Amino acid sequence: MQELDHQQRPQQRSLWLPLVAGAAALAVYWWASNKTRKVVPVDLIEPVADFDAERFVGDWYEIARIERGLGKPLTRSRVEYELLSDGSLGITTRGFHAGTHRWVEGHGIARFVGAPNFGAMKASFMGPFHEGYHVVAIDPDYRWAMLMGDTTDSFKLLSRQPVLDGKTTDMLVHQAALMGVETSRIHWVMQDGINPTGHW
């Protein structure tokens, strides 16, 4: 019996070798594919390559969005960006909740995926969970911006003013459609400049 065990052990070891080699090959393939994989999974969504975070910070009005979860009832919503010491962007969102008739506020952090002049970020609003947060179009004077996530279900138009002119709006909606956004799903946020519900 002792002699049989000695004969079996080399065979058992030899069975492990292909498994270890296969696992190593998979690890190398995963690493290589991650090095070449696009930042944004959807091919038509391309972050801007000349982004300036210092010009982007400050207060923005939310002009339009695709409704997602709890954001749906918000009107007069705004977003404020702050440049943090580590180079990431602090995000503060505020809006009037039509259901509760109260102003609500949320906070998040957006960290750059690559170089800070490339408008690709990952944002976290709820603990360890991250989502794509990409600037895909921006005005040369930083008067308006279009943001998208990793899919066409995440879409947002921002402006320094409560209203965007029709020509700019049409141009951005057309660009969004070329990226695959279902423009019929875009919700236009009420930003009438008159606030009968109080201030925040």
Side-chain angles (χ1 to χ4, degrees):
M1 193 70 175
Q2 182 82 15
E3 187 178 357
L4 185 60
D5 286 344
H6 282 303
Q7 291 175 351
Q8 287 177 339
R9 284 173 188 165
Q11 294 176 358
Q12 291 173 348
R13 284 198 295 270
S14 67
L15 289 175
W16 280 103
L17 290 176
L19 293 175
V20 173
L26 283 174
V28 171
Y29 173 79
W30 179 86
W31 178 83
S33 63
N34 273 341
K35 297 291 284 184
T36 57
R37 187 177 299 163
K38 275 174 58 69
V39 169
V40 184
V42 179
D43 288 338
L44 296 177
I45 299 177
E46 188 66 37
V48 297
D50 55 353
F51 182 69
D52 188 338
E54 291 186 358
R55 298 181 68 191
F56 186 70
V57 297
D59 216 14
W60 295 83
Y61 291 89
E62 188 180 37
I63 300 300
R65 63 174 179 262
I66 287 182
E67 302 289 22
R68 299 180 66 204
L70 297 178
K72 184 173 183 177
L74 295 184
T75 62
R76 301 180 177 89
S77 49
R78 295 169 76 171
V79 187
E80 183 181 355
Y81 297 98
E82 174 189 7
L83 190 60
L84 304 180
S85 59
D86 64 354
S88 58
L89 290 176
I91 307 170
T92 300
T93 59
R94 302 182 180 96
F96 186 73
H97 195 290
T100 62
H101 298 282
R102 293 182 180 179
W103 289 98
V104 296
E105 183 174 294
H107 299 276
I109 295 178
R111 293 181 170 85
F112 289 94
V113 175
N117 66 320
F118 184 52
M121 294 173 275
K122 292 288 185 182
S124 174
F125 293 91
M126 296 179 61
F129 302 102
H130 292 78
E131 59 184 81
Y133 201 83
H134 312 301
V135 181
V136 297
I138 195 157
D139 176 63
D141 295 321
Y142 283 66
R143 295 171 299 181
W144 51 257
M146 182 162 65
L147 280 70
M148 294 182 68
D150 288 334
T151 71
T152 55
D153 285 333
S154 178
F155 171 84
K156 190 186 298 284
L157 282 183
L158 302 176
S159 173
R160 297 292 190 183
Q161 300 297 323
V163 178
L164 265 179
D165 66 89
K167 183 178 179 180
T168 301
T169 300
D170 291 344
M171 180 267 293
L172 291 173
V173 169
H174 177 69
Q175 184 173 346
L178 294 177
M179 292 183 180
V181 173
E182 295 181 46
T183 56
S184 61
R185 297 179 58 197
I186 294 176
H187 170 76
W188 298 93
V189 181
M190 185 172 66
Q191 296 283 7
D192 57 8
I194 301 172
N195 180 10
T197 54
H199 299 278
W200 42 261

